[in-house]
Amino acid sequence: MTQTISLINMKGGVGKSTLTVNLAWHFAAYSNWSKRVLVVDLDPQFNASQYLVGVHKYMNIINDNRPTIWEIFEQHTRTPAGKTQKITPAESVRSVARVRHGGKIDLIPSRLELSLSLRNPGQKEYLLQKTITKIKDNYDLILIDCAPTESVLTTAAYLASDFILVPVKPEYLSTIGLPLLVNSMRDFHEQYEEHNINLCGIVFNAVTYYSPEEMKSKNEVITLSKNNGWYYFRNEIPYSRSYPKGAREGQPIFRTSYARTEQALKFALFAEEFAGRIGI
């Protein structure tokens, strides 16, 4: 069964895109998984798209006249001539990598114009779910990299997902986004009672194990998690300069040049715990 997971936090800069891309590579490339993975970039800043394919190839994608996630959300918007555009879901999917043993990574890319969809959000929240429903049998795992603000894109991600994964940097400005997420999910469940979505957990990302402020923030998140019945991952993701370097190279942590084996191992331990939480 295909599992669809949205990575979300109402605060930017917590590493959602980096986490999304590294999870995609982990489950596609390791022979004990060899999963068929689709990454959906639902952020107008398109960081996950650039990370996966690189800056130059990304520009080629934007100019290839094939639909991106923006066109998916705008396909029923009428032009001055009164016409609407019908998008075939497969048109929007780009192949990123094919791996031995059957693993693969595909991408539905984003672009800056996606932010324009927020100006006219009416009746768009189901379009992502409809698109994914038509192609999900081609994948074992679908990862949605979400924008860090509450909008129709957030609702669309909820409707399309089975689980929510919340990355949190253990610092004050990152943890204050969690109460906003509590309210966001509560409001969603009240409005869309027929859709069941679960929070698979909160993961501490870019952990330095240094600052007393970091420990205080961790404790605040753990307390909030327990009060809301949320799971928090015991395996944390340490800070490493190899992650931004990997983004530049277009490589996951285990393929980034000169990345420490210890860093790749710690990410793998988190990924295994994550797999257990979503049942793959």
Side-chain angles (χ1 to χ4, degrees):
M1 181 182 296
T2 307
Q3 300 287 24
T4 303
I5 298 91
S6 282
L7 286 84
I8 190 167
N9 189 325
M10 298 303 173
K11 170 70 174 64
V14 297
K16 294 186 300 296
S17 299
T18 299
L19 182 54
T20 300
V21 170
N22 277 274
L23 282 173
W25 272 107
H26 178 89
F27 289 111
Y30 276 102
S31 60
N32 59 317
W33 289 108
S34 299
K35 297 296 185 183
R36 302 166 299 164
V37 182
L38 173 66
V39 173
V40 180
D41 192 348
L42 200 58
D43 190 339
Q45 296 186 23
F46 54 84
N47 290 330
S49 299
Q50 286 196 324
Y51 192 154
L52 271 175
V53 303
V55 175
H56 297 297
K57 189 174 180 180
Y58 173 77
M59 294 308 301
N60 292 334
I61 284 176
I62 294 304
N63 295 321
D64 67 5
N65 294 319
R66 292 172 58 192
T68 66
I69 196 70
W70 177 50
E71 282 84 1
I72 289 173
F73 277 94
E74 293 299 312
Q75 60 184 303
H76 297 309
T77 301
R78 291 191 177 276
T79 66
K83 296 180 179 180
T84 60
Q85 182 183 10
K86 182 70 173 178
I87 300 295
T88 301
E91 292 180 275
S92 63
V93 176
R94 274 68 162 189
S95 174
V96 174
R98 295 293 182 269
V99 189
R100 293 176 61 186
H101 310 292
K104 71 175 183 178
I105 302 175
D106 286 346
L107 168 69
I108 298 180
S110 185
R111 59 190 302 160
L112 186 61
E113 288 84 354
L114 179 61
S115 59
L116 301 178
S117 294
L118 306 183
R119 297 181 181 180
N120 182 24
Q123 307 302 312
K124 294 179 180 179
E125 64 269 25
Y126 285 100
L127 292 174
L128 178 61
Q129 181 189 39
K130 290 179 179 179
T131 298
I132 287 179
T133 297
K134 292 177 181 178
I135 59 176
K136 69 185 303 180
D137 289 344
N138 298 325
Y139 301 98
D140 305 300
L141 180 65
I142 299 175
L143 301 170
I144 304 175
D145 183 29
C146 297
T149 53
E150 179 79 23
S151 70
V152 66
L153 301 179
T154 312
T155 304
Y158 288 157
L159 287 168
S161 299
D162 303 300
F163 295 97
I164 299 295
L165 174 63
V166 184
V168 173
K169 288 180 69 175
E171 59 187 30
Y172 176 69
L173 290 178
S174 292
T175 58
I176 60 175
L178 288 178
L180 298 177
L181 182 61
V182 173
N183 294 332
S184 174
M185 293 188 67
R186 182 184 298 117
D187 292 344
F188 173 80
H189 282 127
E190 289 177 356
Q191 186 173 356
Y192 300 92
E193 295 179 353
E194 75 284 357
H195 186 79
N196 183 33
I197 185 171
N198 296 298
L199 194 148
C200 73
I202 296 173
V203 55
F204 291 113
N205 197 22
V207 177
T208 65
Y209 306 105
Y210 177 74
S211 170
E213 173 61 29
E214 183 175 275
M215 290 305 301
K216 182 178 180 179
S217 295
K218 279 186 184 181
N219 290 332
E220 290 172 349
V221 171
I222 291 172
T223 298
L224 182 65
S225 299
K226 291 179 178 178
N227 290 342
N228 286 279
W230 290 355
Y231 181 86
Y232 64 93
F233 288 88
R234 276 53 178 178
N235 287 290
E236 304 170 343
I237 303 173
Y239 169 78
S240 171
R241 293 185 179 89
S242 293
Y243 284 109
K245 185 175 184 180
R248 181 180 296 276
E249 296 178 355
Q251 296 291 345
I253 186 68
F254 62 88
R255 289 185 176 178
T256 302
S257 60
Y258 304 109
R260 293 182 179 179
T261 303
E262 178 186 9
Q263 299 294 347
L265 176 59
K266 288 184 177 179
F267 186 88
L269 289 173
F270 159 71
E272 298 294 317
E273 186 179 0
F274 169 76
R277 289 291 299 165
I278 65 173
I280 63 171

